[in-house]
Amino acid sequence: MSTADTPEDVAHLLVRCLEAEGVTHVFGVPGEENIRFVDAVNASPSIDYVLVRHEQGASFMAEMYGRITGRAGVCSATLGPGAINLLLGVADAHTNSTPVVALAAQGGLDRVHKESHQVIDLPAMFAPVTDWSQQVRAPGAVPEMVRQAFKTAQSERPGAVFLALPEDIEGLVPDPPLNPLPINRPRPEAPSPAQLERAAEVLAGAARPILLAGHGATRAGARDALIRFSERLDIPVATTFNGKGVFPDDHPNALGAVGFMRHDYTNFGFDNADVLICVGYEPQEFDPVKINPQGDKQILHLHQFPAEVDSHYPVAVGVLGDPSSSLDGLAEAVGRTFHGDGRLIRGLLAEELAHGRRNSSFPLAPQRVVADVREALGREDVVLVDTGAGKMWMARLYPTYEPHTCLISNGLSTMGFAVPGAIGAKLARPDAQVLAMTGDGAFLMNSQELETAVREGIPMTVLVLVDDEYGLITWKMELEMGRHSHTRFANPDLVTYAESFGARGHAVKSADELLPTLRDALAHDGVDVISCPVDYTENLRLTDRLGALQGPF
């Protein structure tokens, strides 16, 4: 850092501002235009710069770090192509309501106004996928802009923000010297008594209410309040994919997760409901038409901000404020029970998982994979489930007991986030075992970050489900058209590939090998990659079986 004899430049001031915000890691790739910033991070006593192999990986690491901790993850890149590579993870974080601060270099102010080498309008590019996107135009603006960035990213509805720092400003010395701004952290507001009273009137008149807990309930730490509410009023609870774990799946009132591509067991609980209590639910998680196809159910919206407008999400009463306080207040005001019963739905899910546990076919049935992953991981360990056919099986069947222990991208549903995301997750939860579960298609999109994990000494396990195709797209094509095309590809020898990065590689050659291989890899203080052949002919069998079901139960 700068000394009394060396005036502090903007790069070091920026790092001091990051320190004041509590930043512990910056994920990124340095470039010519931000060398002073990288050097300043290197001198920081409290921030580690994690060098990655692709800026997209940096953005996913920051996203998963932010999702687990609730504090903004930070990613960094140079101008032009480096900044563009951050865009996907930033958009993924934004659509998953996750706090991320993306920093990028920019050309000097003397040339950003004209056609110039590597210069594009970065704030304009990031604006559609962030809550705030700006460029520093004067050294004195840095403390205010950094504070604004973090305040916005960590607001009641978290999201991504972007800040560009021109190369000619990075090395300037503010005059007079500046300091980071004080941090004011907002406290959740108490719900309005009038809103609670109106919501209680609607719920008291319900015959078959059901509760849907979304990602906002997880972010707000509403797990205990959800359990109290469900037990006091005896109301069944389902979650979105992003809400998995906020209501434990082994609770008697748990219905599992909604979000599958077809009408699933859990959906039947909504078919028969007359009032939907949506806690922390956001439509980008799951299209409301799937749970309210006629738009005729009364909806109670409990969240920290108003609901989006959707014809299938007509809010009867919105209760704004801290979800836990809203749930406790609503339960107190209603004063009756409903005797909701989700045993049949839970039983069907449990039976399907138990059948998978007994299935010894090879390549492995996806249900067997889910069962073995659940057996290998503890209740508070973390699995990141990449987008693909495996995501559908895990989201449906994987019993989840704690928040932030089954991480799925269901806002943007991005492929390729799990491997780099596992690095961010492990840094956020060093006490937990971390498993990245990914299809072979998604794996090779960001597999270069294995080298990052090995170099940085970040233990993690990657389970690659191998079917030599984009299985989810094949599934969709077969469902809609009865045929598929252009989804097949070839893979390298994944064991040798993993070993070339310095990781351990494992090849599963029978169904009975997966569980012991998972346990061995998770216990290893290093990076492991498991290649596991999977048979996705079960996909069409599942959708055929669900299509034949008659509900509500």
Side-chain angles (χ1 to χ4, degrees):
M1 296 294 288
S2 301
T3 66
D5 298 327
T6 306
E8 182 181 65
D9 60 20
V10 166
H12 286 83
L13 173 61
L14 172 58
V15 171
R16 280 207 300 127
C17 290
L18 296 181
E19 291 171 344
E21 296 289 345
V23 173
T24 57
H25 298 84
V26 173
F27 305 96
V29 178
E32 295 178 62
E33 292 76 18
N34 66 352
I35 55 175
R36 291 178 179 82
F37 169 71
V38 175
D39 184 64
V41 174
N42 186 57
S44 171
S46 58
I47 302 178
D48 290 330
Y49 190 93
V50 180
L51 174 66
V52 307
R53 301 306 302 272
H54 194 286
E55 293 90 350
Q56 186 180 117
S59 62
F60 288 132
M61 293 175 202
E63 178 187 6
M64 291 302 130
Y65 184 92
R67 184 161 170 181
I68 289 176
T69 65
R71 304 189 307 272
V74 180
C75 53
S76 169
T78 189
L79 79 174
I84 293 171
N85 285 342
L86 290 178
L87 192 62
L88 181 56
V90 169
D92 195 69
H94 187 64
T95 57
N96 284 308
S97 298
T98 299
V100 164
V101 173
L103 304 172
Q106 179 57 298
L109 292 180
D110 60 339
R111 62 189 182 97
V112 294
H113 64 283
K114 62 183 179 180
E115 181 178 324
S116 186
H117 179 64
Q118 287 195 303
V119 169
I120 62 171
D121 189 344
L122 294 177
M125 184 182 74
F126 277 90
V129 295
T130 59
D131 285 324
W132 184 83
S133 182
Q134 295 290 334
Q135 176 173 287
V136 177
R137 297 186 180 276
V142 169
E144 292 176 342
M145 298 190 83
V146 172
R147 179 80 280 271
Q148 183 65 48
F150 280 84
K151 179 179 180 180
T152 303
Q154 297 169 167
S155 65
E156 290 83 357
R157 183 170 190 175
V161 301
F162 173 76
L163 183 61
L165 181 62
E167 60 179 324
D168 54 356
I169 289 183
E170 184 187 53
L172 295 179
V173 175
D175 185 19
L178 300 171
N179 289 305
L181 296 185
I183 297 173
N184 296 313
R185 302 192 185 280
R187 296 184 178 182
E189 294 184 1
S192 159
Q195 291 176 341
L196 283 174
E197 182 179 352
R198 290 170 52 220
E201 291 175 1
V202 172
L203 185 54
R208 297 172 302 278
I210 188 172
L211 191 150
L212 176 63
H215 190 200
T218 302
R219 297 195 307 269
R223 178 184 186 274
D224 292 344
L226 284 166
I227 294 172
R228 290 193 299 269
F229 182 87
S230 175
E231 292 177 349
R232 182 165 183 173
L233 275 63
D234 200 9
I235 291 177
V237 178
T239 73
T240 62
F241 286 4
N242 277 358
K244 280 180 71 68
V246 73
F247 193 84
D249 279 332
D250 55 354
H251 190 282
N253 285 345
L255 294 181
V258 292
F260 187 56
M261 66 175 80
R262 286 292 186 269
H263 211 71
D264 205 350
Y265 307 134
T266 305
N267 294 79
F268 287 114
F270 288 87
D271 292 345
N272 201 34
D274 56 345
V275 172
L276 310 183
I277 309 159
C278 298
V279 183
Y281 162 76
E282 293 145 23
Q284 66 192 16
E285 299 183 74
F286 179 55
D287 192 338
V289 70
K290 301 288 184 64
I291 53 174
N292 191 18
Q294 307 304 319
D296 56 352
K297 302 180 188 298
Q298 294 196 86
I299 292 175
L300 303 181
H301 175 83
L302 278 61
H303 213 322
Q304 297 190 73
F305 50 85
E308 293 289 322
V309 175
D310 190 295
S311 60
H312 295 276
Y313 196 71
V315 176
V317 181
V319 182
L320 304 184
D322 174 51
S324 294
S325 299
S326 298
L327 286 164
D328 289 340
L330 185 57
E332 180 71 26
V334 171
R336 59 164 289 196
T337 57
F338 294 90
H339 308 293
D341 189 357
R343 286 177 296 178
L344 180 54
I345 292 173
R346 289 197 313 278
L348 288 167
L349 291 168
E351 179 183 336
E352 194 175 327
L353 189 61
H355 173 73
R357 192 174 290 113
R358 298 187 298 267
N359 191 330
S360 60
S361 62
F362 186 83
L364 277 74
Q367 301 98 317
R368 175 62 183 265
V369 174
V370 176
D372 283 1
V373 169
R374 180 65 280 176
E375 185 72 19
L377 292 174
R379 291 178 70 95
E380 296 189 0
D381 290 332
V382 178
V383 58
L384 297 90
V385 185
D386 220 309
T387 299
K391 164 187 166 179
M392 292 299 175
W393 288 100
M394 283 289 285
R396 294 182 63 249
L397 293 181
Y398 183 74
T400 311
Y401 311 116
E402 298 291 338
H404 301 306
T405 58
C406 182
L407 303 179
I408 296 172
S409 170
N410 215 47
L412 202 58
S413 289
T414 301
M415 291 181 70
F417 85 89
V419 172
I423 294 175
K426 184 64 177 179
L427 291 174
R429 286 282 314 280
D431 58 312
Q433 293 180 324
V434 174
L435 173 69
M437 182 172 167
T438 175
D440 45 4
F443 172 67
L444 283 175
M445 290 183 175
N446 274 309
S447 58
Q448 72 281 346
E449 300 307 338
L450 291 174
E451 192 276 333
T452 303
V454 170
R455 170 172 33 84
E456 294 286 334
I458 301 172
M460 56 184 254
T461 298
V462 181
L463 174 60
V464 185
L465 305 182
V466 179
D467 67 335
D468 299 316
E469 68 179 328
Y470 294 113
L472 182 61
I473 308 307
T474 295
W475 191 358
K476 181 71 171 179
M477 284 182 165
E478 290 288 348
L479 276 175
E480 300 295 333
M481 300 180 295
R483 60 187 181 276
H484 68 277
S485 63
H486 305 295
T487 58
R488 301 283 297 175
F489 49 74
N491 282 305
D493 181 329
L494 295 182
V495 172
T496 303
Y497 185 75
E499 292 172 348
S500 72
F501 287 107
R504 293 200 310 177
H506 311 263
V508 173
K509 297 180 179 178
S510 72
D512 291 339
E513 288 185 9
L514 177 57
L515 182 55
T517 303
L518 278 168
R519 284 174 168 160
D520 175 65
L522 289 164
H524 175 228
D525 188 26
V527 180
D528 288 70
V529 177
I530 303 170
S531 173
C532 179
V534 63
D535 179 9
Y536 279 131
T537 58
E538 284 291 317
N539 293 350
L540 289 174
R541 293 192 186 104
L542 172 65
T543 42
D544 287 345
R545 186 166 67 251
L546 293 178
L549 285 175
Q550 298 295 319
F553 300 122

